[in-house]
Coordinates of all heavy atoms in Angstrom, one line a residue:
M1 N 0.8 -1.2 0.0 CA 0.0 0.0 0.0 C 0.9 1.3 0.0 O 0.6 2.2 -0.7 CB -0.9 0.0 1.2 CG -2.0 -1.0 1.2 SD -2.9 -1.0 -0.4 CE -4.4 -0.2 0.1
M2 N 1.9 1.2 0.8 CA 2.8 2.4 0.9 C 3.4 2.6 -0.5 O 3.6 3.8 -0.8 CB 3.9 2.0 2.0 CG 4.8 3.2 2.3 SD 4.0 4.6 2.9 CE 5.3 5.9 2.6
M3 N 3.7 1.6 -1.2 CA 4.4 1.7 -2.5 C 3.4 2.5 -3.4 O 3.9 3.3 -4.2 CB 4.7 0.4 -3.1 CG 5.9 -0.3 -2.5 SD 7.4 0.8 -2.4 CE 8.1 0.5 -4.1
N4 N 2.2 2.2 -3.3 CA 1.2 2.9 -4.2 C 1.2 4.4 -3.9 O 1.1 5.2 -4.8 CB -0.2 2.4 -4.1 CG -0.4 1.0 -4.8 OD1 0.4 0.8 -5.7 ND2 -1.3 0.3 -4.4
K5 N 1.4 4.7 -2.7 CA 1.4 6.1 -2.3 C 2.6 6.9 -2.8 O 2.5 8.0 -3.2 CB 1.3 6.3 -0.8 CG -0.1 6.3 -0.2 CD -0.2 6.6 1.2 CE -1.5 6.4 1.8 NZ -1.6 6.5 3.2
I6 N 3.7 6.2 -2.8 CA 4.9 6.9 -3.2 C 5.2 6.8 -4.8 O 5.9 7.6 -5.3 CB 6.2 6.3 -2.4 CG1 7.3 7.4 -2.3 CG2 6.7 5.0 -3.0 CD1 8.3 7.1 -1.3
M7 N 4.5 5.9 -5.4 CA 4.7 5.7 -6.8 C 3.9 6.8 -7.6 O 2.7 7.1 -7.3 CB 4.1 4.4 -7.4 CG 5.0 3.2 -7.0 SD 6.5 3.3 -7.8 CE 6.9 1.5 -7.7
M8 N 4.5 7.4 -8.5 CA 3.8 8.4 -9.4 C 4.1 8.0 -10.8 O 5.1 7.4 -11.1 CB 4.2 9.8 -9.1 CG 5.6 10.2 -9.2 SD 6.0 11.9 -9.3 CE 5.4 12.6 -7.9
D9 N 3.1 8.3 -11.7 CA 3.3 7.9 -13.1 C 4.2 9.0 -13.8 O 4.4 10.1 -13.2 CB 2.0 7.6 -13.9 CG 1.1 8.8 -13.8 OD1 1.5 10.0 -13.8 OD2 -0.2 8.6 -13.8
C10 N 4.6 8.8 -15.0 CA 5.5 9.7 -15.7 C 4.9 11.0 -15.9 O 5.6 12.1 -15.8 CB 6.0 9.1 -17.0 SG 7.0 7.7 -16.8
E11 N 3.6 11.0 -16.2 CA 2.9 12.3 -16.5 C 3.0 13.2 -15.2 O 3.3 14.4 -15.3 CB 1.5 12.0 -16.8 CG 0.8 13.1 -17.7 CD -0.6 12.8 -18.0 OE1 -0.9 11.7 -18.3 OE2 -1.4 13.7 -18.0
K12 N 2.7 12.6 -14.1 CA 2.7 13.3 -12.8 C 4.1 13.7 -12.5 O 4.3 14.8 -12.0 CB 2.1 12.4 -11.7 CG 2.2 12.9 -10.3 CD 1.1 13.9 -10.0 CE 1.2 14.4 -8.6 NZ 0.5 15.8 -8.5
A13 N 5.0 12.9 -12.8 CA 6.5 13.2 -12.5 C 6.9 14.5 -13.3 O 7.6 15.3 -12.8 CB 7.4 12.0 -12.9
H14 N 6.4 14.5 -14.5 CA 6.8 15.7 -15.4 C 6.1 17.0 -14.8 O 6.7 18.0 -14.8 CB 6.2 15.5 -16.8 CG 7.1 14.5 -17.6 ND1 7.0 14.4 -19.0 CD2 8.0 13.7 -17.2 CE1 7.8 13.5 -19.3 NE2 8.5 13.0 -18.3
T15 N 4.9 16.8 -14.3 CA 4.2 18.0 -13.8 C 4.9 18.5 -12.5 O 5.2 19.7 -12.4 CB 2.7 17.6 -13.4 OG1 2.1 17.0 -14.5 CG2 1.9 18.8 -12.9
V16 N 5.3 17.6 -11.6 CA 6.0 18.0 -10.4 C 7.4 18.6 -10.8 O 7.8 19.6 -10.2 CB 6.2 16.7 -9.5 CG1 7.1 17.1 -8.3 CG2 4.9 16.2 -9.0
C17 N 8.0 18.0 -11.8 CA 9.3 18.5 -12.2 C 9.1 20.0 -12.7 O 9.9 20.9 -12.3 CB 9.8 17.7 -13.4 SG 11.3 18.3 -14.1
D18 N 8.1 20.2 -13.5 CA 7.8 21.6 -13.9 C 7.5 22.5 -12.7 O 8.0 23.6 -12.6 CB 6.6 21.6 -14.9 CG 6.9 21.0 -16.2 OD1 8.1 20.9 -16.5 OD2 6.0 20.6 -17.0
K19 N 6.7 22.0 -11.8 CA 6.4 22.8 -10.7 C 7.6 23.2 -9.8 O 7.7 24.3 -9.3 CB 5.4 22.1 -9.8 CG 3.9 22.3 -10.3 CD 3.0 21.3 -9.7 CE 2.6 21.7 -8.3 NZ 1.7 20.6 -7.6
S20 N 8.4 22.2 -9.7 CA 9.6 22.4 -8.8 C 10.6 23.4 -9.4 O 11.3 24.1 -8.7 CB 10.3 21.1 -8.5 OG 10.9 20.6 -9.7
Q21 N 10.5 23.6 -10.7 CA 11.3 24.6 -11.4 C 10.9 26.0 -10.9 O 11.7 26.9 -10.9 CB 11.2 24.5 -12.9 CG 11.7 23.2 -13.5 CD 13.2 23.0 -13.3 OE1 14.0 23.9 -13.4 NE2 13.5 21.7 -13.0
Y22 N 9.7 26.1 -10.6 CA 9.1 27.4 -10.1 C 8.9 27.4 -8.6 O 8.2 28.2 -8.1 CB 7.8 27.7 -10.9 CG 8.0 27.8 -12.4 CD1 7.6 26.7 -13.2 CD2 8.7 28.9 -13.0 CE1 7.8 26.8 -14.6 CE2 8.9 28.9 -14.3 CZ 8.4 27.9 -15.1 OH 8.6 27.9 -16.5
K23 N 9.5 26.5 -8.0 CA 9.4 26.3 -6.5 C 8.0 26.2 -6.0 O 7.6 26.7 -5.0 CB 10.1 27.6 -5.8 CG 11.5 27.9 -6.3 CD 12.5 27.4 -5.3 CE 13.9 27.9 -5.7 NZ 14.5 27.4 -6.9
E24 N 7.2 25.5 -6.8 CA 5.8 25.3 -6.5 C 5.4 24.0 -6.0 O 4.4 23.7 -5.5 CB 4.9 25.7 -7.7 CG 4.8 27.2 -8.0 CD 4.1 27.5 -9.4 OE1 3.7 26.5 -10.0 OE2 4.1 28.6 -9.7
A25 N 6.4 23.1 -6.1 CA 6.1 21.7 -5.7 C 6.3 21.5 -4.2 O 7.1 22.2 -3.6 CB 7.1 20.7 -6.4
T26 N 5.5 20.7 -3.6 CA 5.6 20.5 -2.1 C 6.8 19.5 -1.9 O 7.2 18.8 -2.8 CB 4.3 19.8 -1.6 OG1 4.1 18.5 -2.2 CG2 3.1 20.6 -1.9
V27 N 7.2 19.4 -0.6 CA 8.3 18.6 -0.2 C 7.9 17.1 -0.6 O 8.8 16.4 -1.1 CB 8.6 18.7 1.3 CG1 9.6 17.7 1.7 CG2 9.1 20.1 1.5
W28 N 6.7 16.8 -0.3 CA 6.3 15.4 -0.5 C 6.3 15.0 -2.0 O 6.7 14.0 -2.4 CB 4.9 15.2 0.1 CG 4.3 13.8 -0.1 CD1 3.0 13.6 -0.5 CD2 4.8 12.5 0.2 NE1 2.8 12.2 -0.6 CE2 3.9 11.5 -0.1 CE3 6.1 12.1 0.7 CZ2 4.1 10.2 0.0 CZ3 6.3 10.7 0.8 CH2 5.3 9.8 0.5
E29 N 5.9 16.0 -2.8 CA 5.9 15.8 -4.3 C 7.3 15.6 -4.7 O 7.6 14.8 -5.6 CB 5.3 17.0 -5.0 CG 3.8 17.0 -5.0 CD 3.1 18.2 -5.6 OE1 3.7 19.3 -5.5 OE2 2.1 18.1 -6.3
K30 N 8.2 16.4 -4.2 CA 9.7 16.3 -4.6 C 10.2 15.0 -4.2 O 11.1 14.4 -4.9 CB 10.5 17.5 -3.9 CG 10.3 18.8 -4.7 CD 11.2 19.8 -4.2 CE 10.5 21.1 -4.0 NZ 11.3 22.1 -3.3
I31 N 9.9 14.5 -3.0 CA 10.3 13.2 -2.6 C 9.9 12.1 -3.5 O 10.6 11.2 -4.0 CB 9.9 12.9 -1.1 CG1 10.5 13.8 -0.1 CG2 10.1 11.4 -0.7 CD1 9.9 13.8 1.3
K32 N 8.6 12.2 -3.9 CA 8.1 11.1 -4.8 C 8.7 11.3 -6.2 O 8.9 10.3 -6.8 CB 6.5 11.3 -4.9 CG 5.8 10.9 -3.7 CD 4.3 10.7 -4.0 CE 3.6 12.0 -4.1 NZ 2.1 11.8 -4.2
L33 N 9.0 12.5 -6.6 CA 9.7 12.7 -7.9 C 11.1 12.0 -7.8 O 11.4 11.3 -8.7 CB 9.8 14.2 -8.2 CG 10.5 14.5 -9.5 CD1 9.9 14.0 -10.7 CD2 10.7 16.0 -9.6
K34 N 11.8 12.3 -6.7 CA 13.1 11.7 -6.6 C 13.1 10.2 -6.7 O 13.9 9.6 -7.3 CB 13.8 12.2 -5.2 CG 14.3 13.6 -5.3 CD 15.6 13.7 -4.6 CE 16.3 14.9 -5.0 NZ 15.8 16.1 -4.3
F35 N 12.1 9.6 -6.0 CA 11.9 8.2 -6.0 C 11.6 7.7 -7.4 O 12.2 6.7 -7.8 CB 10.8 7.9 -5.0 CG 10.6 6.4 -4.9 CD1 11.4 5.7 -4.0 CD2 9.6 5.7 -5.5 CE1 11.3 4.3 -3.8 CE2 9.5 4.3 -5.4 CZ 10.3 3.6 -4.5
H36 N 10.8 8.4 -8.1 CA 10.5 8.0 -9.5 C 11.7 8.1 -10.3 O 11.9 7.2 -11.2 CB 9.4 9.0 -10.0 CG 8.9 8.6 -11.4 ND1 7.8 7.9 -11.6 CD2 9.3 9.0 -12.6 CE1 7.6 7.7 -12.9 NE2 8.6 8.4 -13.5
L37 N 12.5 9.1 -10.1 CA 13.7 9.2 -11.0 C 14.8 8.1 -10.8 O 15.6 7.9 -11.7 CB 14.4 10.6 -10.7 CG 13.5 11.8 -11.1 CD1 14.3 13.1 -10.8 CD2 13.1 11.8 -12.5
I38 N 14.7 7.5 -9.7 CA 15.6 6.4 -9.4 C 15.5 5.3 -10.4 O 16.5 4.7 -10.9 CB 15.4 5.8 -8.0 CG1 15.8 6.9 -6.9 CG2 16.2 4.5 -7.8 CD1 15.4 6.5 -5.5
F39 N 14.2 5.0 -10.8 CA 14.1 3.8 -11.7 C 13.5 4.3 -13.1 O 13.4 3.4 -14.0 CB 13.1 2.8 -11.1 CG 11.7 3.3 -10.8 CD1 10.8 3.4 -11.8 CD2 11.5 3.8 -9.5 CE1 9.5 3.8 -11.5 CE2 10.2 4.3 -9.2 CZ 9.2 4.3 -10.2
C40 N 13.3 5.6 -13.3 CA 12.7 6.0 -14.6 C 13.7 6.8 -15.4 O 13.9 8.0 -15.0 CB 11.4 6.7 -14.4 SG 10.7 7.1 -16.0
K41 N 14.4 6.3 -16.4 CA 15.4 6.9 -17.1 C 14.8 8.1 -17.9 O 15.4 9.1 -18.1 CB 16.1 6.0 -18.1 CG 17.3 5.3 -17.4 CD 18.0 4.4 -18.5 CE 19.0 3.5 -17.8 NZ 19.4 2.5 -18.7
I42 N 13.6 7.9 -18.4 CA 13.0 8.9 -19.3 C 12.8 10.2 -18.5 O 13.1 11.3 -18.9 CB 11.6 8.4 -19.9 CG1 11.9 7.2 -20.8 CG2 10.9 9.5 -20.6 CD1 10.6 6.4 -21.1
C43 N 12.2 10.1 -17.3 CA 12.0 11.2 -16.5 C 13.2 11.8 -15.9 O 13.3 13.0 -15.8 CB 11.0 10.9 -15.3 SG 9.4 10.6 -15.9
K44 N 14.2 11.0 -15.8 CA 15.5 11.5 -15.3 C 16.1 12.5 -16.3 O 16.6 13.6 -16.0 CB 16.5 10.3 -15.0 CG 17.6 10.7 -14.1 CD 18.4 9.4 -13.7 CE 19.5 9.8 -12.8 NZ 20.4 8.7 -12.5
K45 N 16.0 12.0 -17.6 CA 16.5 12.8 -18.7 C 15.7 14.1 -18.8 O 16.2 15.2 -19.0 CB 16.3 12.0 -20.0 CG 17.2 12.5 -21.1 CD 17.0 11.5 -22.3 CE 17.4 12.2 -23.6 NZ 17.1 11.5 -24.8
Y46 N 14.3 13.9 -18.7 CA 13.4 15.1 -18.7 C 13.8 16.1 -17.7 O 13.9 17.3 -17.9 CB 12.0 14.6 -18.5 CG 10.9 15.7 -18.5 CD1 10.3 16.1 -19.7 CD2 10.5 16.3 -17.4 CE1 9.4 17.1 -19.7 CE2 9.6 17.3 -17.3 CZ 9.0 17.7 -18.5 OH 8.1 18.6 -18.5
T47 N 14.0 15.6 -16.5 CA 14.3 16.6 -15.3 C 15.7 17.3 -15.6 O 15.8 18.5 -15.4 CB 14.4 15.7 -14.0 OG1 13.2 15.1 -13.9 CG2 14.6 16.7 -12.8
A48 N 16.7 16.5 -16.1 CA 18.0 17.1 -16.3 C 17.8 18.2 -17.4 O 18.4 19.3 -17.2 CB 18.9 16.0 -16.8
N49 N 17.1 17.9 -18.4 CA 16.9 18.9 -19.5 C 16.1 20.1 -19.0 O 16.4 21.2 -19.3 CB 16.2 18.3 -20.7 CG 17.1 17.4 -21.5 OD1 18.2 17.8 -21.8 ND2 16.6 16.3 -21.9
N50 N 15.1 19.8 -18.2 CA 14.3 20.9 -17.6 C 15.2 21.8 -16.7 O 15.0 23.1 -16.8 CB 13.2 20.3 -16.8 CG 11.9 21.1 -17.0 OD1 11.9 22.2 -17.4 ND2 10.8 20.4 -16.6
T51 N 16.0 21.2 -15.9 CA 16.9 22.0 -15.1 C 17.9 22.9 -15.9 O 18.1 24.0 -15.6 CB 17.7 21.1 -14.2 OG1 16.8 20.2 -13.5 CG2 18.5 21.8 -13.1
K52 N 18.4 22.3 -16.9 CA 19.3 23.0 -17.9 C 18.6 24.2 -18.5 O 19.1 25.3 -18.5 CB 19.7 22.0 -19.0 CG 21.2 21.8 -19.1 CD 21.6 21.0 -20.3 CE 21.7 19.6 -20.0 NZ 21.8 18.7 -21.2
L53 N 17.3 24.0 -18.9 CA 16.5 25.0 -19.5 C 16.3 26.1 -18.6 O 16.4 27.3 -18.9 CB 15.2 24.4 -20.0 CG 14.2 25.4 -20.7 CD1 14.8 25.9 -22.0 CD2 12.9 24.8 -20.8
T54 N 15.9 25.8 -17.4 CA 15.7 26.9 -16.4 C 16.9 27.7 -16.1 O 16.8 28.9 -16.0 CB 15.2 26.2 -15.0 OG1 14.1 25.4 -15.3 CG2 14.8 27.2 -14.0
K55 N 18.0 27.0 -16.0 CA 19.3 27.7 -15.8 C 19.6 28.7 -17.0 O 20.0 29.8 -16.8 CB 20.5 26.8 -15.6 CG 20.6 26.2 -14.2 CD 21.8 25.4 -14.1 CE 21.8 24.7 -12.7 NZ 22.7 23.5 -12.7
L56 N 19.3 28.2 -18.2 CA 19.5 28.9 -19.4 C 18.6 30.2 -19.4 O 19.1 31.3 -19.7 CB 19.1 28.0 -20.6 CG 19.5 28.6 -22.0 CD1 21.0 28.3 -22.2 CD2 18.7 27.8 -23.1
I57 N 17.4 30.0 -19.0 CA 16.5 31.2 -19.0 C 16.9 32.1 -17.9 O 17.0 33.3 -18.1 CB 15.0 30.7 -18.7 CG1 14.5 29.9 -19.9 CG2 14.1 31.9 -18.4 CD1 13.1 29.2 -19.7
K58 N 17.3 31.6 -16.8 CA 17.8 32.5 -15.7 C 19.0 33.3 -16.1 O 19.1 34.5 -15.8 CB 18.1 31.7 -14.4 CG 16.8 31.5 -13.6 CD 17.1 30.7 -12.3 CE 15.9 30.3 -11.6 NZ 16.1 29.3 -10.6
S59 N 20.0 32.6 -16.7 CA 21.2 33.3 -17.1 C 20.9 34.3 -18.2 O 21.6 35.4 -18.2 CB 22.3 32.3 -17.5 OG 21.9 31.5 -18.6
N60 N 20.0 34.0 -19.1 CA 19.7 34.9 -20.1 C 19.0 36.2 -19.5 O 19.3 37.3 -20.0 CB 18.7 34.3 -21.2 CG 19.5 33.5 -22.2 OD1 20.7 33.6 -22.3 ND2 18.8 32.6 -22.9
S61 N 18.2 36.0 -18.6 CA 17.4 37.1 -18.0 C 18.2 38.0 -17.2 O 17.8 39.1 -16.9 CB 16.2 36.6 -17.3 OG 16.7 35.8 -16.1
V62 N 19.5 37.6 -16.9 CA 20.4 38.5 -16.2 C 20.7 39.7 -17.1 O 20.8 40.8 -16.7 CB 21.7 37.8 -15.8 CG1 22.8 38.8 -15.3 CG2 21.4 36.7 -14.8
F63 N 20.8 39.4 -18.4 CA 21.1 40.4 -19.4 C 19.9 41.1 -20.0 O 19.8 42.3 -20.1 CB 22.0 39.9 -20.5 CG 23.2 39.2 -19.9 CD1 23.4 37.8 -19.9 CD2 24.3 39.9 -19.4 CE1 24.5 37.2 -19.4 CE2 25.4 39.3 -18.9 CZ 25.5 38.0 -18.9
T64 N 19.0 40.3 -20.4 CA 17.7 40.8 -21.0 C 16.5 40.1 -20.3 O 16.3 38.9 -20.5 CB 17.6 40.5 -22.5 OG1 18.0 39.1 -22.7 CG2 18.5 41.4 -23.3
P65 N 15.9 40.9 -19.4 CA 14.7 40.2 -18.8 C 13.6 39.9 -19.8 O 13.2 40.7 -20.6 CB 14.2 41.4 -17.8 CG 15.2 42.4 -17.9 CD 16.0 42.2 -19.1
L66 N 13.3 38.6 -19.8 CA 12.3 38.1 -20.7 C 10.9 38.2 -20.1 O 10.7 37.9 -19.0 CB 12.5 36.6 -21.0 CG 13.7 36.3 -22.0 CD1 13.9 34.7 -22.0 CD2 13.4 36.7 -23.4
P67 N 9.9 38.7 -20.9 CA 8.5 38.6 -20.5 C 8.1 37.1 -20.3 O 8.7 36.3 -20.9 CB 7.7 39.3 -21.5 CG 8.6 39.2 -22.7 CD 10.0 39.2 -22.3
K68 N 7.1 36.9 -19.4 CA 6.7 35.5 -19.0 C 6.3 34.7 -20.3 O 6.6 33.6 -20.4 CB 5.6 35.6 -18.0 CG 5.5 34.3 -17.3 CD 4.4 34.2 -16.3 CE 4.3 32.9 -15.5 NZ 4.0 31.7 -16.4
D69 N 5.6 35.4 -21.2 CA 5.1 34.6 -22.4 C 6.2 34.2 -23.3 O 6.2 33.1 -23.9 CB 4.0 35.4 -23.1 CG 4.5 36.7 -23.6 OD1 5.3 37.3 -23.0 OD2 4.0 37.2 -24.7
A70 N 7.3 35.0 -23.3 CA 8.5 34.6 -24.1 C 9.2 33.4 -23.5 O 9.6 32.5 -24.2 CB 9.5 35.8 -24.1
K71 N 9.2 33.4 -22.1 CA 9.8 32.2 -21.5 C 9.0 31.0 -21.8 O 9.5 29.9 -22.0 CB 9.8 32.4 -19.9 CG 10.9 33.3 -19.5 CD 10.9 33.4 -18.0 CE 11.8 34.5 -17.5 NZ 11.7 34.7 -16.1
E72 N 7.7 31.1 -21.8 CA 6.8 30.0 -22.1 C 7.0 29.5 -23.5 O 7.0 28.3 -23.7 CB 5.3 30.4 -21.9 CG 4.9 30.6 -20.4 CD 5.2 29.3 -19.6 OE1 4.8 28.2 -20.0 OE2 5.7 29.4 -18.5
K73 N 7.2 30.4 -24.4 CA 7.5 30.1 -25.8 C 8.8 29.3 -25.9 O 8.8 28.2 -26.6 CB 7.5 31.4 -26.6 CG 7.1 31.1 -28.0 CD 7.0 32.4 -28.9 CE 6.7 32.0 -30.3 NZ 6.8 33.1 -31.2
I74 N 9.8 29.8 -25.3 CA 11.1 29.0 -25.3 C 10.9 27.6 -24.8 O 11.3 26.6 -25.3 CB 12.2 29.8 -24.4 CG1 12.5 31.1 -25.1 CG2 13.4 28.9 -24.3 CD1 13.4 32.0 -24.3
K75 N 10.1 27.6 -23.7 CA 9.9 26.3 -23.0 C 9.1 25.3 -23.9 O 9.5 24.2 -24.0 CB 9.2 26.6 -21.7 CG 9.4 25.4 -20.7 CD 8.8 25.8 -19.4 CE 8.8 24.5 -18.6 NZ 8.1 24.6 -17.3
S76 N 8.1 25.8 -24.5 CA 7.3 24.9 -25.4 C 8.1 24.5 -26.6 O 8.0 23.3 -27.1 CB 6.0 25.6 -25.8 OG 6.2 26.6 -26.6
N77 N 8.9 25.4 -27.2 CA 9.8 25.0 -28.3 C 10.8 23.9 -27.8 O 11.1 22.9 -28.5 CB 10.6 26.1 -28.8 CG 9.7 27.1 -29.7 OD1 8.7 26.6 -30.2 ND2 10.1 28.3 -29.8
F78 N 11.3 24.1 -26.6 CA 12.3 23.2 -26.1 C 11.7 21.8 -25.9 O 12.3 20.8 -26.2 CB 12.8 23.8 -24.7 CG 13.9 22.9 -24.1 CD1 15.2 23.1 -24.5 CD2 13.6 22.0 -23.2 CE1 16.2 22.4 -23.9 CE2 14.6 21.3 -22.6 CZ 15.9 21.5 -22.9
K79 N 10.4 21.8 -25.4 CA 9.7 20.6 -25.2 C 9.4 19.8 -26.5 O 9.5 18.6 -26.6 CB 8.4 20.8 -24.4 CG 8.7 20.9 -23.0 CD 7.4 21.0 -22.2 CE 7.7 21.1 -20.7 NZ 6.6 21.4 -19.9
K80 N 9.2 20.6 -27.5 CA 9.0 20.0 -28.8 C 10.2 19.3 -29.3 O 10.2 18.2 -29.8 CB 8.6 21.1 -29.9 CG 7.1 21.2 -30.1 CD 6.8 22.2 -31.1 CE 5.7 23.2 -30.6 NZ 5.7 24.5 -31.3
E81 N 11.4 20.0 -29.1 CA 12.6 19.4 -29.5 C 12.9 18.2 -28.8 O 13.4 17.2 -29.3 CB 13.8 20.4 -29.3 CG 13.8 21.6 -30.2 CD 13.8 21.2 -31.7 OE1 14.6 20.4 -32.1 OE2 13.0 21.8 -32.5
L82 N 12.6 18.2 -27.5 CA 12.8 17.1 -26.6 C 12.0 15.9 -27.0 O 12.4 14.8 -27.0 CB 12.4 17.5 -25.2 CG 13.1 16.8 -24.0 CD1 14.6 17.0 -24.0 CD2 12.5 17.3 -22.7
A83 N 10.7 16.2 -27.4 CA 9.9 15.2 -27.8 C 10.4 14.4 -29.0 O 10.3 13.2 -29.2 CB 8.4 15.7 -28.1
K84 N 11.0 15.2 -29.9 CA 11.6 14.6 -31.2 C 12.7 13.6 -30.8 O 12.9 12.6 -31.3 CB 12.2 15.7 -32.0 CG 11.2 16.4 -32.9 CD 11.9 17.4 -33.8 CE 11.0 18.6 -34.1 NZ 11.8 19.8 -34.6
L85 N 13.5 14.1 -29.8 CA 14.6 13.2 -29.3 C 14.2 11.9 -28.7 O 14.8 10.9 -28.8 CB 15.5 14.0 -28.3 CG 16.3 15.2 -28.7 CD1 17.0 15.8 -27.5 CD2 17.3 14.8 -29.7
N86 N 13.0 12.0 -28.0 CA 12.5 10.8 -27.3 C 11.8 9.9 -28.3 O 11.5 8.7 -27.9 CB 11.6 11.2 -26.2 CG 12.3 11.8 -25.0 OD1 13.5 11.5 -24.9 ND2 11.7 12.6 -24.2
D87 N 11.5 10.3 -29.5 CA 10.8 9.4 -30.5 C 11.6 8.2 -30.9 O 12.8 8.4 -31.0 CB 10.4 10.2 -31.7 CG 9.1 10.9 -31.4 OD1 8.4 10.6 -30.4 OD2 8.7 11.9 -32.2
Ligands
ZN101 ZN1 8.9 8.4 -15.5

């Protein structure tokens, strides 16, 4: 029973990963995400790329502050590219 509580599917893991980038994920969600990443290579890759992207946006915004919709656009383009890689 405990395992069911701590297990999350990949879709949920991606959501938590996104949320944690914006410091919106709860501690419990992060624990479950970490647990998921131990055995899920796909999500591990997704998280690594997501972290890279967030750093990229942050480092860019030091020089030119991007409006929120521009960030979203970069992010969605990035996800499209990522989807191609996973195919
Ligand atoms: Zn996964």
Side-chain angles (χ1 to χ4, degrees):
M1 291 309 257
M2 186 58 199
M3 284 309 275
N4 281 338
K5 272 188 187 169
I6 206 163
M7 289 290 203
M8 56 165 62
D9 57 32
C10 291
E11 204 182 321
K12 175 76 180 160
H14 286 194
T15 308
V16 175
C17 175
D18 289 342
K19 275 166 79 182
S20 69
Q21 298 297 319
Y22 300 103
K23 310 258 188 293
E24 284 169 7
T26 65
V27 174
W28 179 230
E29 280 177 326
K30 282 188 226 170
I31 292 168
K32 286 198 285 186
L33 176 63
K34 282 221 163 77
F35 185 80
H36 183 94
L37 296 182
I38 292 169
F39 61 84
C40 184
K41 272 187 192 164
I42 297 165
C43 289
K44 204 171 173 182
K45 199 175 159 194
Y46 177 88
T47 305
N49 281 320
N50 220 340
T51 307
K52 238 186 265 171
L53 177 71
T54 304
K55 277 187 187 158
L56 192 76
I57 292 172
K58 274 185 189 160
S59 60
N60 279 341
S61 62
V62 171
F63 305 105
T64 45
L66 284 171
K68 199 180 183 296
D69 59 327
K71 282 185 195 174
E72 288 302 315
K73 207 172 175 190
I74 292 172
K75 203 173 169 188
S76 69
N77 284 339
F78 185 84
K79 279 188 179 170
K80 262 183 231 160
E81 292 302 314
L82 203 63
K84 278 183 211 164
L85 289 177
N86 287 336
D87 276 345

